[in-house]
Amino acid sequence: MKQGLLTTLVSVALSALVAVGIVKAATPTAKAGDKEIKTYTVDGSEYRTVNLSETDYPDFTYAAESSVDAVVFVKVTIRQKSMPIDDPFLRYFFGDQFGGGEQQGSGSGVIIRPDGYIVTFFFNDTATTEIEVTLNNNKTYEATVVGTDPATDIALIKIDESGLPVVPFGDSDELRLGEWVLAIGSPLGEQLRGTITAGIVSAKGRSMPNYSREFKIESFIQTDAAVNPGNSGGALVNKKGELVGINTAIVSQTGSYSGYSFAVPSNIVKKIVGDLIDFGSVKRARLGVSMSSITEKTAKELKLSSLEGVYINEVVKGGSADKAGMKEGDVLLKIDGNPVKTPSDLQAKVNGFHPGDKAVMTVVRDGQAKDLYVTFQGTEEVTGTVAEDGTVAFYGARLKAADAATLKALGLTKGVLVESAGNGKFASAGGSDGFVIRFVNDQEVSTPKEVVEAAKKARRAVYIEGVSATGRSGYFGFAKEE
């Protein structure tokens, strides 16, 4: 037994000694004001030296005290009246009346401007939504909705006040794995508002499990700071007290904290709230591709020098990438000279653009680097806009009047052709390229304008009837709101 223990100790010491050269070679040169920490082996020999400045020690008092007063408690009440249903499809599922009653929800919010602008969690905004904001000093205000973005679970509200404390925006791109962060919010209700928990950045560019919104965000910050229901909409701050994320969800089988929480990066939040303030809605750019990571097999086949970049699996017809000349099989390496390492990295960068913005994208095709000049298109949020080629945007799809030859081939006299289904709400509901729309909510249509107008009249949902490119009758529907 003693011999075995001695062998183990010797093995540990040998392993430690072997590591000396590697660690010392990577140790940065000490700077003035740094504190030097040395760790020793069992026999007293030094094997690891780390230089830490005073600011590297995990003291969160400044970040906590400078941020907590700018994090608020938010209570949302939605009162709904029952309404008659005139749509036969909805009547089949819901009966003659729909809705009614009162819904309440609560969470957290972050004051981002001293004149009362607050970022908080997403909720369905209606004419009967009432929002109450309670500050850390117990003052309560009624708030109005500036705008909401269901894709990121974020809303922007405003209270009538000035001189409020704020949390300044930080650069979420600068976050490092293992960096300390604080989560501030109101877990489990108003009684625990202003609660502060600490953790580290566990991962970046994370895709949230079971997250299936239309514009799936693939660039969440994952932390192990304790976050519970009620923390949603609260602040994730770094040691400087800067806002680096808005807490949005947890992954748990019990509904309570179990070690994993997610936050929308502050760089994405900053762009969203800027759009909501300036335009009242998010102007989201779309590249129009499906993509995947570079595997070793792909890198070998394409003779790539690294696994960084994004492999283009498909290019949406008529989309931004298609018009720029991007092709299936291209490997996207850079946007405006900035490296693109992963699909989540690409998505985060595209999220920073607005429709109409231009960029240079560097791709590798047939072993040669090539620059493509792209003009970003918008999403279904600009439904009804007419493109240069005459097609009309409709919930992510592009529509045009069906020509005589197409109608004759399908045995129709009128209808609207889906030039490109895209990959938005229309496509998710079952729309496909070449589909000819005959009816929208029982109204016969023959032009894209009629399709858009019929959809606008719908109260809750849009139902499409028509014929596929292969001649099969089909129908599908989708909700107008998230």
Side-chain angles (χ1 to χ4, degrees):
M1 189 69 165
K2 289 182 178 179
Q3 185 176 359
L5 177 59
L6 179 60
T7 302
T8 301
L9 289 174
V10 171
S11 176
V12 170
L14 286 174
S15 298
L17 288 169
V18 169
V20 176
I22 299 174
V23 174
K24 283 189 174 180
T27 301
T29 304
K31 294 179 288 187
D34 283 357
K35 285 195 173 182
E36 191 175 75
I37 295 180
K38 296 182 179 180
T39 311
Y40 299 88
T41 60
V42 179
D43 63 0
S45 61
E46 178 186 333
Y47 76 97
R48 190 166 188 264
T49 301
V50 179
N51 295 308
L52 294 175
S53 66
E54 291 281 4
T55 57
D56 283 330
Y57 290 97
D59 182 351
F60 306 123
T61 53
Y62 173 79
E65 291 172 358
S66 65
S67 304
V68 67
D69 287 337
V71 180
V72 303
F73 175 75
V74 179
K75 183 170 70 175
V76 177
T77 302
I78 300 176
R79 293 184 174 87
Q80 294 179 326
K81 296 180 180 179
S82 59
M83 61 180 69
I85 298 177
D86 53 10
D87 186 283
F89 292 97
L90 287 176
R91 190 181 298 119
Y92 176 79
F93 288 104
F94 300 109
D96 294 330
Q97 300 286 323
F98 180 84
E102 180 178 287
Q103 296 179 341
Q104 284 193 338
S106 64
S108 307
V110 184
I111 305 173
I112 59 169
R113 280 182 26 174
D115 55 349
Y117 283 93
I118 299 169
V119 178
T120 187
F121 59 94
F122 170 78
F123 50 86
N124 286 309
D125 178 32
T126 71
T128 53
T129 298
E130 297 177 3
I131 309 165
E132 184 179 274
V133 171
T134 304
L135 306 188
N136 203 38
N137 61 7
N138 293 323
K139 287 187 176 181
T140 300
Y141 300 81
E142 289 185 1
T144 56
V145 179
V146 178
T148 62
D149 182 43
T152 53
D153 280 325
I154 283 176
L156 184 66
I157 59 177
K158 189 179 186 306
I159 61 175
D160 187 14
E161 188 57 278
S162 60
L164 295 170
V166 301
V167 182
F169 277 98
D171 187 350
S172 54
D173 289 344
E174 295 298 318
L175 279 177
R176 299 175 64 185
L177 298 181
E179 181 175 340
W180 284 101
V181 287
L182 301 180
I184 309 176
S186 306
L188 307 178
E190 185 175 7
Q191 298 303 314
L192 296 180
R193 71 174 189 264
T195 294
I196 303 168
T197 57
I200 63 169
V201 176
S202 305
K204 294 173 64 179
R206 185 70 88 192
S207 173
M208 192 191 303
N210 301 320
Y211 188 87
S212 58
R213 290 202 186 277
E214 184 180 347
F215 301 104
K216 187 176 181 182
I217 301 299
E218 301 281 358
S219 51
F220 286 101
I221 300 166
Q222 181 184 326
T223 79
D224 64 351
V227 170
N228 280 289
N231 274 109
S232 183
L236 187 73
V237 302
N238 59 19
K239 289 187 299 179
K240 298 177 183 178
E242 297 172 331
L243 185 69
V244 292
I246 294 295
N247 298 313
T248 187
I250 61 177
V251 174
S252 171
Q253 294 181 345
T254 64
S256 298
Y257 171 74
S258 60
Y260 305 99
S261 58
F262 295 86
V264 181
S266 61
N267 287 357
I268 293 178
V269 175
K270 191 173 183 179
K271 190 260 184 185
I272 289 169
V273 298
D275 280 0
L276 293 177
I277 292 172
D278 292 339
F279 310 113
S281 63
V282 179
K283 304 301 181 184
R284 186 169 275 110
R286 171 165 284 167
L287 182 58
V289 298
S290 63
M291 55 192 171
S292 60
S293 300
I294 304 296
T295 64
E296 288 189 15
K297 180 181 179 182
T298 302
K300 186 176 181 180
E301 290 176 351
L302 300 178
K303 298 179 180 179
L304 302 176
S305 58
S306 74
L307 299 183
E308 293 185 356
V310 173
Y311 184 80
I312 304 301
N313 297 311
E314 182 182 2
V315 178
V316 177
K317 184 179 179 182
S320 307
D322 180 42
K323 292 184 176 181
M326 192 173 292
K327 299 183 181 298
E328 179 183 333
D330 283 350
V331 175
L332 179 56
L333 298 179
K334 296 178 182 180
I335 297 181
D336 284 341
N338 299 311
V340 174
K341 299 180 179 180
T342 63
S344 62
D345 191 23
L346 173 60
Q347 187 189 49
K349 285 181 169 59
V350 172
N351 278 337
F353 290 97
H354 290 95
D357 287 349
K358 301 178 186 297
V360 180
M361 299 201 169
T362 304
V363 302
V364 170
R365 182 185 302 165
D366 299 328
Q368 300 293 321
K370 183 179 181 67
D371 285 341
L372 304 177
Y373 299 87
V374 62
T375 300
F376 288 103
Q377 297 177 5
T379 65
E380 78 283 0
E381 292 174 0
V382 289
T383 289
T385 57
V386 181
E388 293 179 0
D389 60 2
T391 59
V392 176
F394 183 71
Y395 291 96
R398 307 297 307 185
L399 310 180
K400 70 177 184 180
D403 57 40
T406 299
L407 294 173
K408 183 178 179 180
L410 296 174
L412 304 175
T413 57
K414 61 176 62 176
V416 178
L417 178 67
V418 179
E419 176 74 9
S420 170
N423 55 0
K425 185 177 289 188
F426 182 88
S428 297
S432 58
D433 293 355
F435 189 91
V436 174
I437 301 172
R438 298 183 61 210
F439 298 93
V440 177
N441 287 21
D442 286 334
Q443 179 179 325
E444 192 173 23
V445 294
S446 58
T447 67
K449 183 179 179 180
E450 290 177 350
V451 172
V452 173
E453 291 301 321
K456 285 182 178 179
K457 294 176 183 177
R459 291 182 177 179
R460 296 183 53 83
V462 178
Y463 287 92
I464 307 290
E465 297 177 67
V467 178
S468 71
T470 58
R472 297 182 62 180
S473 296
Y475 59 90
F476 54 89
F478 51 86
K480 289 185 67 175
E481 302 292 340
E482 286 288 328

